[in-house]
Amino acid sequence: MKKRFLQSLVIAATTATLVAACATSPTGRSQLKLYSKNQLADMGTQAFDSMKTEQKVSKTPVENEFVTCVASYITKHVPKEVFDGTWELVVFEDEQVNAFALPGGKIGVYTGLLNVAENQHQLAAVIGHEVGHVIAEHGNERMSNSALIGIGLEATNQILQSNEVGSSNMIMAAIGVGVQVGVQLPFSRTHESEADLIGLDLMARAGFDPRQSVNLWQNMDKASGGNRPLEFMSTHPSPNTRIKDLQANMAKAQQLASSTNDKPNCHK
């Protein structure tokens, strides 16, 4: 029984690996993507429209003009195959220090972020990062892997039940925790790190100072007040990890920034 069980797991893992190798991220990482770009764009548009009705939208001209100015420089450098249209940007009145971008050309920025991002360069680092998720199709990848994990867990459960393995419910619960810590959380951290590097490239091409991305994460660390989970249990890398990765890629980013013709001049 154990041999058949192990064989089933090996077959499942091998199949998943072969499927995942069919797509590649902008940094060369293998990806699993089960959904089309049109499907993702429709989902992004529906979600964004819903948020605009459920959350308070800022009407402050200065905030909107500042964020729109920064975003316009970033989105100009998004590959046309990712989105070939006019990006829609909304500033939401909320104290959370956050922003997001969705497939279909949607960007949301919360006013709380503007208290931490001190200037145009730091806001560009955040918007570049969020748009980086869209460029790398991380949403597609997360949904695809969740679907695969769900199929895999159900298959494992059926194997355990059919072989009348004792305490199968406990084993399935342990596998669920193992998947979260061993697969899903590191996977999310990989996405965040990848988006950081794509965002660094974007902000540099758009004429912003890439060195300010480091200052941003220093500010983010201060704003958290130390209330962050251990990196091992977190969906995001620690600020120190992000800063080290950004600094390791800073020389290339500065070369891009020095060679671009864009000279953004966005003010709060």
Side-chain angles (χ1 to χ4, degrees), residues 91-131:
V91 178
F92 294 99
E93 281 197 23
D94 195 296
E95 293 183 357
Q96 64 175 296
V97 182
N98 207 356
F100 63 89
L102 299 173
K106 311 298 181 182
I107 297 174
V109 174
Y110 294 99
T111 51
L113 175 64
L114 304 181
N115 297 322
V116 177
E118 298 175 337
N119 52 50
Q120 63 172 355
H121 309 287
Q122 293 181 20
L123 180 59
V126 178
I127 294 178
H129 167 94
E130 298 302 334
V131 172

Coordinates of all heavy atoms in Angstrom, one line a residue, residues 91-131:
V91 N -7.9 56.3 -6.5 CA -7.4 56.5 -5.2 C -8.5 56.3 -4.2 O -9.6 57.0 -4.3 CB -6.8 57.9 -5.0 CG1 -6.3 58.1 -3.6 CG2 -5.7 58.2 -6.0
F92 N -8.3 55.3 -3.3 CA -9.4 55.0 -2.3 C -9.0 55.6 -1.0 O -7.8 55.6 -0.6 CB -9.5 53.5 -2.1 CG -9.9 52.7 -3.3 CD1 -9.1 52.1 -4.2 CD2 -11.3 52.7 -3.6 CE1 -9.5 51.4 -5.3 CE2 -11.8 52.0 -4.8 CZ -10.9 51.4 -5.6
E93 N -10.0 56.2 -0.3 CA -9.8 56.8 1.0 C -9.8 55.7 2.0 O -10.8 55.2 2.4 CB -10.9 57.9 1.3 CG -10.6 59.2 0.6 CD -11.4 60.3 1.2 OE1 -11.9 60.2 2.4 OE2 -11.7 61.3 0.5
D94 N -8.6 55.4 2.5 CA -8.5 54.3 3.5 C -7.1 54.5 4.1 O -6.1 54.8 3.4 CB -8.6 52.9 2.8 CG -8.8 51.8 3.8 OD1 -7.9 51.6 4.6 OD2 -9.9 51.2 3.8
E95 N -7.0 54.2 5.4 CA -5.7 54.4 6.1 C -4.7 53.3 5.8 O -3.5 53.4 6.2 CB -5.9 54.5 7.6 CG -6.7 55.8 8.0 CD -6.8 55.9 9.5 OE1 -6.4 55.0 10.2 OE2 -7.4 56.9 9.9
Q96 N -5.1 52.2 5.2 CA -4.2 51.1 5.0 C -3.1 51.5 4.0 O -3.3 52.2 3.1 CB -4.9 49.8 4.5 CG -5.5 49.9 3.1 CD -6.1 48.6 2.6 OE1 -5.3 47.6 2.4 NE2 -7.4 48.5 2.5
V97 N -1.9 51.1 4.3 CA -0.7 51.4 3.5 C -0.6 50.4 2.4 O 0.1 49.3 2.6 CB 0.6 51.4 4.4 CG1 1.8 51.9 3.6 CG2 0.4 52.4 5.6
N98 N -1.2 50.6 1.3 CA -1.3 49.6 0.3 C -1.7 50.1 -1.1 O -2.1 51.3 -1.2 CB -2.3 48.5 0.7 CG -2.0 47.1 0.1 OD1 -1.1 47.0 -0.6 ND2 -2.8 46.2 0.5
A99 N -1.5 49.3 -2.1 CA -1.9 49.6 -3.4 C -2.0 48.3 -4.1 O -1.6 47.2 -3.6 CB -0.9 50.5 -4.1
F100 N -2.6 48.3 -5.3 CA -2.7 47.0 -6.1 C -2.9 47.3 -7.5 O -3.2 48.5 -7.9 CB -3.9 46.2 -5.6 CG -5.3 46.9 -5.7 CD1 -6.0 46.7 -6.9 CD2 -5.8 47.7 -4.7 CE1 -7.2 47.4 -7.1 CE2 -7.0 48.3 -4.9 CZ -7.7 48.2 -6.1
A101 N -2.7 46.3 -8.4 CA -2.9 46.4 -9.8 C -3.6 45.1 -10.2 O -3.3 44.1 -9.7 CB -1.6 46.7 -10.6
L102 N -4.5 45.2 -11.2 CA -5.3 44.1 -11.6 C -5.1 43.9 -13.1 O -5.0 44.9 -13.8 CB -6.7 44.2 -11.2 CG -7.1 44.3 -9.7 CD1 -8.5 44.6 -9.6 CD2 -6.7 43.0 -9.0
P103 N -5.2 42.7 -13.6 CA -5.3 42.5 -15.1 C -6.4 43.3 -15.7 O -7.5 43.4 -15.0 CB -5.5 41.0 -15.2 CG -5.0 40.4 -13.9 CD -5.3 41.4 -12.9
G104 N -6.3 43.7 -16.9 CA -7.3 44.6 -17.5 C -7.0 46.0 -17.3 O -7.8 46.9 -17.7
G105 N -5.8 46.4 -16.8 CA -5.4 47.8 -16.8 C -6.0 48.6 -15.6 O -6.5 49.7 -15.8
K106 N -6.0 48.0 -14.4 CA -6.6 48.6 -13.2 C -5.6 48.8 -12.1 O -4.8 47.9 -11.8 CB -7.8 47.8 -12.7 CG -8.8 47.4 -13.7 CD -9.5 48.5 -14.4 CE -10.5 48.0 -15.5 NZ -11.2 49.1 -16.2
I107 N -5.6 50.0 -11.6 CA -4.6 50.3 -10.5 C -5.4 51.0 -9.3 O -6.2 52.0 -9.6 CB -3.5 51.2 -10.9 CG1 -2.6 50.6 -12.0 CG2 -2.6 51.6 -9.7 CD1 -1.5 51.4 -12.5
G108 N -5.2 50.6 -8.1 CA -5.8 51.2 -7.0 C -4.8 51.6 -6.0 O -3.8 50.8 -5.7
V109 N -4.9 52.8 -5.4 CA -3.9 53.2 -4.4 C -4.7 53.7 -3.2 O -5.7 54.5 -3.4 CB -3.0 54.4 -5.0 CG1 -2.2 55.0 -3.9 CG2 -2.2 53.9 -6.1
Y110 N -4.3 53.3 -2.0 CA -5.0 53.8 -0.8 C -4.3 55.0 -0.2 O -3.0 55.1 -0.3 CB -5.0 52.7 0.3 CG -5.8 51.5 -0.2 CD1 -5.3 50.3 -0.7 CD2 -7.2 51.5 0.0 CE1 -6.0 49.3 -1.1 CE2 -8.0 50.4 -0.4 CZ -7.4 49.3 -0.9 OH -8.2 48.3 -1.3
T111 N -5.0 55.9 0.3 CA -4.5 57.2 0.8 C -3.4 57.0 1.9 O -2.5 57.8 2.1 CB -5.6 58.2 1.3 OG1 -6.4 57.5 2.2 CG2 -6.4 58.6 0.1
G112 N -3.6 55.9 2.6 CA -2.6 55.6 3.7 C -1.2 55.4 3.2 O -0.2 55.8 3.9
L113 N -1.1 55.0 2.0 CA 0.2 54.8 1.3 C 0.9 56.1 1.1 O 2.2 56.2 1.2 CB 0.1 54.0 0.0 CG 1.4 53.8 -0.8 CD1 2.4 53.0 -0.1 CD2 1.1 53.3 -2.2
L114 N 0.2 57.1 0.9 CA 0.8 58.5 0.6 C 1.4 59.1 1.8 O 2.2 60.0 1.7 CB -0.3 59.4 0.0 CG -1.0 58.9 -1.3 CD1 -2.0 59.9 -1.8 CD2 0.0 58.5 -2.4
N115 N 1.1 58.5 3.0 CA 1.8 59.0 4.2 C 3.1 58.3 4.4 O 3.9 58.8 5.2 CB 0.9 58.8 5.4 CG -0.4 59.5 5.3 OD1 -0.5 60.6 4.9 ND2 -1.5 58.9 5.8
V116 N 3.3 57.2 3.7 CA 4.6 56.5 3.9 C 5.5 56.7 2.7 O 6.7 56.8 2.8 CB 4.3 55.0 4.0 CG1 5.6 54.2 4.1 CG2 3.4 54.8 5.3
A117 N 5.0 56.7 1.5 CA 5.7 57.0 0.3 C 5.9 58.5 0.2 O 5.0 59.3 -0.1 CB 5.0 56.5 -1.0
E118 N 7.1 59.0 0.5 CA 7.4 60.4 0.8 C 7.5 61.2 -0.5 O 7.3 62.4 -0.4 CB 8.7 60.5 1.6 CG 8.7 59.9 2.9 CD 10.0 59.9 3.6 OE1 11.1 60.0 2.9 OE2 10.0 59.8 4.9
N119 N 7.7 60.6 -1.6 CA 7.9 61.4 -2.9 C 7.5 60.6 -4.1 O 7.1 59.4 -3.9 CB 9.3 61.9 -3.0 CG 10.3 60.7 -2.8 OD1 10.2 59.7 -3.5 ND2 11.3 60.9 -2.0
Q120 N 7.6 61.1 -5.3 CA 7.2 60.5 -6.5 C 8.0 59.2 -6.7 O 7.5 58.2 -7.2 CB 7.4 61.4 -7.7 CG 8.8 61.8 -8.0 CD 9.0 62.6 -9.3 OE1 8.0 62.7 -10.0 NE2 10.2 63.1 -9.5
H121 N 9.3 59.2 -6.3 CA 10.1 58.0 -6.6 C 9.6 56.8 -5.7 O 9.6 55.7 -6.2 CB 11.6 58.3 -6.3 CG 12.0 59.6 -6.9 ND1 12.3 59.6 -8.3 CD2 12.3 60.8 -6.4 CE1 12.7 60.9 -8.6 NE2 12.7 61.6 -7.5
Q122 N 9.3 57.1 -4.5 CA 8.9 56.0 -3.6 C 7.5 55.5 -4.0 O 7.2 54.3 -4.0 CB 8.9 56.4 -2.2 CG 10.3 56.7 -1.6 CD 10.3 57.1 -0.2 OE1 9.4 56.9 0.6 NE2 11.4 57.8 0.2
L123 N 6.6 56.3 -4.4 CA 5.3 55.9 -4.9 C 5.5 55.1 -6.2 O 4.8 54.1 -6.4 CB 4.4 57.1 -5.2 CG 3.0 56.7 -5.7 CD1 2.2 55.8 -4.7 CD2 2.2 58.0 -6.0
A124 N 6.4 55.5 -7.0 CA 6.7 54.8 -8.3 C 7.2 53.3 -8.0 O 6.9 52.4 -8.7 CB 7.7 55.5 -9.1
A125 N 7.9 53.2 -6.9 CA 8.4 51.9 -6.5 C 7.3 51.0 -6.2 O 7.2 49.8 -6.5 CB 9.4 52.0 -5.3
V126 N 6.2 51.5 -5.5 CA 5.1 50.7 -5.1 C 4.2 50.4 -6.3 O 3.9 49.2 -6.6 CB 4.2 51.4 -4.1 CG1 3.0 50.6 -3.8 CG2 5.0 51.7 -2.8
I127 N 3.9 51.4 -7.1 CA 3.1 51.2 -8.3 C 3.8 50.2 -9.3 O 3.2 49.3 -9.9 CB 2.7 52.5 -9.0 CG1 1.8 53.3 -8.1 CG2 2.0 52.2 -10.3 CD1 1.4 54.6 -8.6
G128 N 5.1 50.4 -9.5 CA 5.9 49.5 -10.3 C 5.8 48.1 -9.8 O 5.7 47.1 -10.6
H129 N 5.9 47.9 -8.5 CA 5.8 46.6 -7.9 C 4.5 45.9 -8.2 O 4.4 44.8 -8.6 CB 6.0 46.7 -6.4 CG 5.7 45.5 -5.7 ND1 6.6 44.5 -5.3 CD2 4.5 45.0 -5.2 CE1 6.0 43.5 -4.7 NE2 4.7 43.8 -4.6
E130 N 3.4 46.7 -8.0 CA 2.1 46.2 -8.2 C 1.8 45.8 -9.7 O 1.2 44.8 -10.0 CB 1.0 47.1 -7.7 CG 1.1 47.4 -6.2 CD 1.0 46.2 -5.3 OE1 0.4 45.2 -5.8 OE2 1.5 46.2 -4.2
V131 N 2.2 46.7 -10.6 CA 2.1 46.4 -12.0 C 3.0 45.2 -12.4 O 2.6 44.5 -13.3 CB 2.5 47.7 -12.8 CG1 2.5 47.4 -14.3 CG2 1.5 48.8 -12.6

